[in-house]
Amino acid sequence: MTDQGEGRRVDMETIVSLCKRRGFVFPSAEIYGGFANTYDYGPLGVELRRQIRASWWKAMVQERDDVVGIEAAIITNPRVYIASGHLEHFTDPLVDCRNCKARFRADDLPGATVDGAGASMKVALPPDLTCPSCGTRGSFTEARQFNLMFETNVGPLRDESSVAYLRPETAQGMFVNFENVLNSTRRKLPFGIAQNGKSFRNEITPGNFIFRMLEFEQMEMEYFCYPERGRELYEYWREERMRWYVERLGIRPERLRFREHPPEALSHYSSGTTDVEYEFPFGWGELEGIAYRTDFDLRRHSEVSGRQLSYFDEERKEHIVPHVVEPAAGVDRIMAVLLLDAYDEEQDERGETRVVLRFKPDLAPVQVAILPLSRNERLVPTAREVWTRLRPRFRTQYDDAQSIGRRYRRQDEIGTPLCVTVDFQTIEEDQAVTIRDRDSMEQVRVGLEELTDRLEERLSAL
Amino acid sequence: MTDQGEGRRVDMETIVSLCKRRGFVFPSAEIYGGFANTYDYGPLGVELRRQIRASWWKAMVQERDDVVGIEAAIITNPRVYIASGHLEHFTDPLVDCRNCKARFRADDLPGATVDGAGASMKVALPPDLTCPSCGTRGSFTEARQFNLMFETNVGPLRDESSVAYLRPETAQGMFVNFENVLNSTRRKLPFGIAQNGKSFRNEITPGNFIFRMLEFEQMEMEYFCYPERGRELYEYWREERMRWYVERLGIRPERLRFREHPPEALSHYSSGTTDVEYEFPFGWGELEGIAYRTDFDLRRHSEVSGRQLSYFDEERKEHIVPHVVEPAAGVDRIMAVLLLDAYDEEQDERGETRVVLRFKPDLAPVQVAILPLSRNERLVPTAREVWTRLRPRFRTQYDDAQSIGRRYRRQDEIGTPLCVTVDFQTIEEDQAVTIRDRDSMEQVRVGLEELTDRLEERLSAL
């Protein structure tokens, strides 16, 4: 694994600015002034996201013998959300300022006292509370519950009968497809159904960059098991998921922790939830939730649909409603964490600052940069030839603009583990190139005929 | 490439039934009676979709030196769709039956005469037309234009100011991010921006399984070029995309064709569009559209946003508004085509029907199946050991239920190119297994120590 060194605590503004400048994350539709809590991902951002998804899928589906994937629709039959409890319970308590009409989450306001959770949460505000927006005192309405699902209408009519919802989580897709997956795969307990895709929540939020957005991308897995093994598997998945962050993503363990939800704060479906938290610049924040959902969802869908969702145990000769443990992670938050955690700064010998993103090499958006020493017409054809050869094997970038020193710095700043430099010695003397290491800045000379193998060796050794 | 043989024309019902039974495609939320024109993808469907996306990304982004990716939000600033023309033009002409209130696309009704296209399309119906739903004659209202974008409200207020749309295409994400991509990547013309993601259209449609759905997944690329090269690159991308279907996806060329849109049927933004069509069971249907969008979108976004979207040509010392060629494909339709095109039936020596999906091996949801000859306790541990060894390298499935003959048939029916069989000879004599080929049904004996290499050889040779 990469030697991460001490790392560096970086503020969110530095990351936001780097992300825009280098093409990781842009404000969505920025030419129109952007859009509340919505971001678009640029060329480097997309590559990083692709590696996050691939790593999760490999660990959670491909390498396992007990998990299969699905992809369910974002807009489906609204009865799903009657059964799941989202129509009733998935709400935030909101208050309006009578003076300026600004709207707030009541439980986020200073001095709010909260009783209960979910839809039955009661929030009391100090009677003389000042509106953070207009400064008026005591201007707030009573808190009322507001559902967080986005609504739309399917078909040309706009009435009650055509209302449908954008899914607020991918998890329900696994529950409503439980029977079809079971019948088509003939799985035995325990087994999991995994899904990666977008979800939507109409939240009033303080933002924090891509940490909390209106639309976000989930990686969720529902692990179905015998009821008596639920607790044990809840423990197992906590450990397993923490291990993934440390070993597969290379996140510094000292910035990760578990946080168990107290019983009174549990969601309506959960009998135990642990968050994996990361120490963000704004404090500890949820990176993943591991929830013991018991048999809540399958039972509810059985009740509302009238279809018995259960597992027939051939040895016990009985139908069982499995219990469920759910590890639910977010691509966007993981991406934020990878950027924050990889960020480092060093002073070089001339006192200049070198910014380095110390991504694990298999996650880096660009794995190998190909740099001719200059735009000299004798160097460029060879450099482009090298590039053409490497492209099918690695995520590459070609750069011939400005001095080689500045180009190394650019690659450091986007976390490219290896740079290949083509110089005059390459074409005149040795048919060899220089491989330069992002972390140590050491350079080694390698013959062109062995370049691909050496790059692969170094990338997997790092 | 696989020898596809003659292939077989298969009806849609056979594919729909195979898809549900084996876990490719399920009706969405089927336990609630499904949902109009919406499907969920099962374990095998997801793997097939992942290979389609990977093949497209490799050919369109990774292996090219002139294309980068982005991922834009599904719900963004609604002004994007004022500029793009979707708010004004993206409509279907609908009529109601005054008697039974059923609603139809006017231009789909028998005897409809159509004049113009898009929002200015005029449709006249025969005055005595019979309603296909209730049988009443002459009961139709005048046709009126209905916008196909799904609407929602962002934030707790539901008024004009909070309306936003689910994107009807991914393409606008590339146009509104044009400047940010250009600034962060310092690209020279020509270059492309690619995106893969969901889009949504509130259509009244005849369905045809996953061919036309309310939500669907696109793979679009906007290729920006000098205006004078537009026509030439439009030709280039037509050929390039057709080649991808034939060479990379292995689709039978005799079931593919180009269809050029006549000038009067072009979309509001296009000065030339060619569809790649496939011969579906219901007739020729669009698989991909290659559109010459000229500078329509960049100019419109410049006008509406007030931000000049252009490219500064350093040699000519002038600002240029690039022209755009767009190849736009759909994951769902490609998936349908792969299933239809791969489908084959053979009579075996006993007169029984063998169903085979002749997927190209790199696209098959399962590449290697591991089958112990029986559930014998001496065979199973070795078979599972083999499975564990192969899992990180290939997409695998383990199956020990029922006779080996039935299991071969099951694997044929899901298109698994290679089966590995563990038998008593394996554990008692030769530490070797049998590799069985899907297409030829030939079996060869291979030592365990060379199994991985031999499988890789055979998969890439097929």
Side-chain angles (χ1 to χ4, degrees), chain B residues 125-142:
Chain B
L125 297 178
D128 61 344
L129 185 67
T130 302
C131 171
S133 172
C134 70
T136 310
R137 274 173 175 266
S139 62
F140 285 111
T141 61
E142 288 288 291

Side-chain angles (χ1 to χ4, degrees), chain B residues 1 242-251 360:
Chain B
M1 220 191 290
M242 182 62 94
R243 219 150 56 88
W244 183 74
Y245 286 104
V246 174
E247 294 178 13
R248 299 286 183 108
L249 299 192
I251 296 172
K360 270 192 77 194

Side-chain angles (χ1 to χ4, degrees), chain A residues 386 389 430-433 446-454:
Chain A
V386 170
R389 192 129 48 92
D430 60 1
Q431 287 287 306
V433 291
V446 171
L448 279 176
E449 77 292 342
E450 51 165 344
L451 180 59
T452 303
D453 290 347
R454 294 292 294 279

Side-chain angles (χ1 to χ4, degrees), chain A residues 20-23 26 28-32 34-35 38-43 46-47 49-50 53 57-58 61-65 68-80 83 94 103 146 150-158 164 166 176-177 180-181 184-186 198 200 202 204 214-215 301 304-305 307 309 384 387 391-394 399 401 410, chain B residues 20-23 26 28-32 34-35 38-43 46-47 49-50 53 57-58 61-65 68-80 83 94 103 146 150-158 164 166 176-177 180-181 184-186 198 200 202 204 214-215 301 304-305 307 309 384 387 391-394 399 401 410:
Chain A
K20 184 177 166 193
R21 190 172 68 252
R22 304 311 310 267
F26 307 128
S28 185
E30 194 183 20
I31 60 172
Y32 293 106
F35 196 62
T38 306
Y39 291 87
D40 293 344
Y41 296 102
V46 171
E47 296 299 342
R49 294 168 74 75
R50 292 174 62 82
R53 293 178 194 125
W57 195 263
K58 196 163 201 292
V61 183
Q62 192 189 340
E63 291 180 358
R64 294 190 67 96
D65 61 5
V68 297
I70 66 160
E71 288 178 5
I74 288 171
I75 303 176
T76 190
N77 194 310
R79 293 181 68 202
V80 170
L94 300 188
R103 197 160 272 193
F146 171 75
F150 282 102
E151 264 187 48
T152 191
N153 297 88
V154 173
L157 294 173
R158 292 206 194 166
L166 307 198
V176 298
N177 282 295
N180 272 332
V181 170
S184 60
T185 62
R186 300 165 305 145
K198 287 252 184 168
F200 299 79
N202 194 4
I204 295 191
L214 300 181
E215 77 180 70
H301 285 296
V304 177
S305 72
R307 185 94 144 239
L309 302 179
R384 294 192 69 97
W387 187 26
R391 225 151 48 214
R393 292 286 274 277
F394 307 100
D399 188 5
R410 268 207 293 269
Chain B
K20 184 179 166 189
R21 190 172 67 254
R22 304 310 310 267
F26 307 129
S28 186
E30 196 182 20
I31 60 172
Y32 293 107
F35 196 62
T38 305
Y39 292 87
D40 293 345
Y41 296 102
V46 172
E47 296 299 342
R49 294 168 73 75
R50 293 174 62 83
R53 294 179 194 124
W57 194 264
K58 196 162 200 295
V61 182
Q62 193 190 339
E63 291 180 359
R64 294 192 65 97
D65 61 4
V68 297
I70 67 162
E71 287 177 6
I74 288 171
I75 303 175
T76 189
N77 194 311
R79 292 182 69 201
V80 170
L94 300 188
R103 197 160 274 194
F146 172 74
F150 282 102
E151 265 186 47
T152 191
N153 296 88
V154 173
L157 294 173
R158 291 206 194 166
L166 306 199
V176 299
N177 282 295
N180 272 332
V181 171
S184 60
T185 62
R186 299 165 305 143
K198 288 251 185 170
F200 299 78
N202 194 4
I204 295 193
L214 300 181
E215 78 180 72
H301 285 296
V304 177
S305 73
R307 187 94 143 238
L309 302 180
R384 294 193 68 97
W387 187 27
R391 226 151 49 215
R393 292 285 273 279
F394 308 99
D399 188 5
R410 267 208 293 270

Side-chain angles (χ1 to χ4, degrees), chain A residues 174-216:
Chain A
M174 282 73 111
F175 299 122
V176 298
N177 282 295
F178 173 76
E179 200 177 61
N180 272 332
V181 170
L182 199 58
N183 290 342
S184 60
T185 62
R186 300 165 305 145
R187 289 273 155 183
K188 303 264 175 250
L189 289 184
F191 72 93
I193 310 179
Q195 179 170 204
N196 164 219
K198 287 252 184 168
S199 294
F200 299 79
R201 295 180 185 179
N202 194 4
E203 289 184 289
I204 295 191
T205 123
N208 280 328
F209 194 38
I210 57 174
F211 180 77
R212 193 181 292 278
M213 296 185 292
L214 300 181
E215 77 180 70
F216 58 105

